[in-house]
Amino acid sequence: MPPSGTDFFVNVRILNKESIVEDKVRERLGRNPFTRAAERIANDFVSVDEVARKVGERMAEHMPGELRGQGIGARCRLRFQRGPLLVLSVGVVSADLARLAEVGALPGVVACLPQCFEFLPGSLHRRLYATALKRLAGVLISRVTARATSDLEASGVCAEVTALSLAEETEFLLSEIESIDNEAKAKSRPQRRRAVQDLGGRRCCKGAEAPGARGAAQPCQQPARREAA
């Protein structure tokens, strides 16, 4: 279980869902006369939720390995997804503090704390180590936005990336959800209006009768009565 205070969140808002889907179609079909039609069909059937979920799952899978290469042990998972927005939680669980201090990712004083006080009882030593990890999490928050944005661009994903602490995440997330809901409502209004207009047009066409389409009603013809001879 990682120390408390070492978690932070990476918020990613996908901006180019259509081009992501089109790139996948071209990867499979290549460029031919049918590719453009296939791209349009795929974008109609593949939702932005599906694209964002796939991007989030891929990031959650690869981010721990990238951090491990920097001497940082971390766990990462997809915690939330709605429309183009996905949220990853990242928790720092271990770190090579000496290595991080060497590359300037962590102040030397902070990195030395656990080593300098190894003679302390285990509980106090763990507390010092947790302090160093919390400081490291704060450093990562300031660096992961640019790194994640660059990695996504390299894979063809244009996105807004925002890394935040737990204290900042709630307000940010609520604001983003409200924005997404408002955008969805704005897009649905024209669609509903067109649907109503189409329905009204069909009713009018059904009720209208072309001139002469039906003949005038003819009175019933009574058979002529024979007169008695």
Side-chain angles (χ1 to χ4, degrees):
M1 187 75 176
S4 62
T6 63
D7 284 4
F8 62 93
F9 297 87
V10 181
N11 304 274
V12 181
R13 186 163 181 169
I14 306 296
L15 302 178
N16 65 330
K17 173 259 184 182
E18 289 79 10
S19 63
I20 293 172
V21 174
E22 291 167 1
D23 288 344
K24 292 298 182 183
V25 171
R26 284 193 292 269
E27 285 179 11
R28 295 187 179 185
L29 300 182
R31 293 187 178 275
N32 61 65
F34 304 102
T35 300
R36 188 57 189 159
E39 291 171 356
R40 289 194 294 268
I41 293 171
N43 261 313
D44 288 339
F45 280 93
V46 179
S47 67
V48 68
D49 290 88
E50 185 175 349
V51 172
R53 195 176 306 113
K54 291 289 186 183
V55 172
E57 290 171 352
R58 187 167 65 246
M59 290 183 70
E61 180 181 354
H62 292 296
M63 189 174 289
E66 294 180 3
L67 293 174
R68 195 178 305 116
Q70 304 173 39
I72 302 168
R75 48 149 178 73
C76 179
R77 63 191 180 107
L78 178 63
R79 290 293 300 271
F80 178 81
Q81 181 275 315
R82 183 164 181 173
L85 177 68
L86 63 99
V87 181
L88 301 170
S89 66
V90 182
V92 179
V93 296
S94 64
D96 185 342
L97 300 179
R99 178 181 172 187
L100 291 168
E102 287 178 3
V103 298
L106 199 64
V109 174
V110 176
C112 287
L113 282 176
Q115 286 80 11
C116 293
F117 295 95
E118 287 182 339
F119 60 88
L120 293 175
S123 59
L124 292 177
H125 187 265
R126 284 193 295 271
R127 192 175 301 174
L128 287 172
Y129 186 64
T131 299
L133 293 183
K134 290 177 186 178
R135 182 65 179 270
L136 176 59
V139 172
L140 286 176
I141 288 174
S142 65
R143 295 188 175 191
V144 74
T145 297
R147 179 62 183 268
T149 301
S150 176
D151 290 346
L152 288 170
E153 287 179 354
S155 62
V157 178
C158 181
E160 293 177 350
V161 182
T162 308
L164 297 171
S165 65
L166 177 60
E168 301 169 307
E169 177 66 20
T170 301
E171 184 175 353
F172 176 87
L173 183 58
L174 291 175
S175 177
E176 286 293 293
I177 292 174
E178 183 179 9
S179 173
I180 290 170
D181 289 346
N182 289 338
E183 289 177 4
K185 289 177 183 177
K187 289 180 181 179
S188 67
R189 289 192 193 105
Q191 295 173 352
R192 288 199 301 267
R193 190 178 298 114
R194 285 194 297 270
V196 171
Q197 290 172 348
D198 291 345
L199 180 60
R202 287 196 295 269
R203 286 179 174 174
C204 289
C205 291
K206 186 176 179 180
E209 297 292 346
R214 292 184 181 178
Q218 299 295 327
C220 295
Q221 299 294 327
Q222 298 292 335
R225 288 183 299 175
R226 294 184 180 179
E227 302 214 4

